[in-house]
């Protein structure tokens, strides 16, 4: 199997920055996509950003121009640089990864989730 370990959450003032990291470990054949969802109390879970192993990216409209996702394929790690943070960015951020495994010549992809990290932006 595999696991995702997140780090980098914390408390910042509006306008500040945080950098989230997520490392995938295990017997992984390839990473199709990694990124973050977030969920605030009373809010719908939303995709924040995602990146494929080839570098294609996707962002929520609310974070475009402020957040940047990047990856280090050799380390199975993705980073989310969050700048110009706003109080509405406050949420639990969950790393996710669609990981492909090799099973005796057959490949299959499964969704994995990190434990979540709290991001709090004060007014």
């Amino acid at each position: 199997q595999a696991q995702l370990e997140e780090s980098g959450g914390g408390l910042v003032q509006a306008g500040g920055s945080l950098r989230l990291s997520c490392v995938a470990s295990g017997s992984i054949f390839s990473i199709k996509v990694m990124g973050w969802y977030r969920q605030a109390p009373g809010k719908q879970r939303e995709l924040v950003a995602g990146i494929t192993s080839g570098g294609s990216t996707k962002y929520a409209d609310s974070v475009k121009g402020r957040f940047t996702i990047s990856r280090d394929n050799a380390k199975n790690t993705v980073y989310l640089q969050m700048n110009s943070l706003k109080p509405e960015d406050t949420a639990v951020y969950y790393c996710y990864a669609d990981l492909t495994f090799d099973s005796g010549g057959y490949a299959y992809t499964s969704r994995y989730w990190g434990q979540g990290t709290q991001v709090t932006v004060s007014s």
Side-chain angles (χ1 to χ4, degrees):
Q1 297 284 358
Q3 67 179 70
L4 305 178
E5 185 171 353
E6 301 180 58
S7 61
L11 172 65
V12 297
Q13 292 185 326
S17 297
L18 286 172
R19 186 179 187 240
L20 305 183
S21 299
C22 183
V23 182
S25 62
S27 299
I28 303 168
F29 181 74
S30 66
I31 300 173
K32 294 183 69 175
V33 60
M34 291 183 68
W36 280 267
Y37 281 77
R38 69 184 181 187
Q39 188 164 26
K43 298 290 187 179
Q44 188 70 40
R45 183 181 65 173
E46 66 171 342
L47 177 67
V48 179
I51 186 168
T52 69
S53 60
S56 179
T57 60
K58 178 181 177 66
Y59 297 94
D61 288 342
S62 60
V63 308
K64 287 180 179 178
R66 300 187 298 119
F67 292 9
T68 303
I69 189 168
S70 60
R71 85 276 187 263
D72 185 337
N73 287 341
K75 297 180 178 180
N76 291 340
T77 301
V78 293
Y79 307 94
L80 185 66
Q81 180 65 46
M82 304 185 293
N83 297 327
S84 302
L85 283 162
K86 304 174 180 179
E88 50 263 46
D89 295 318
T90 296
V92 177
Y93 285 67
Y94 295 95
C95 179
Y96 79 95
D98 292 336
L99 306 177
T100 299
F101 300 86
D102 184 2
S103 180
Y106 297 88
Y108 65 96
T109 301
S110 297
R111 169 64 60 87
Y112 282 80
W113 294 94
Q115 78 279 8
T117 185
Q118 178 71 48
V119 172
T120 302
V121 184
S122 62
S123 301

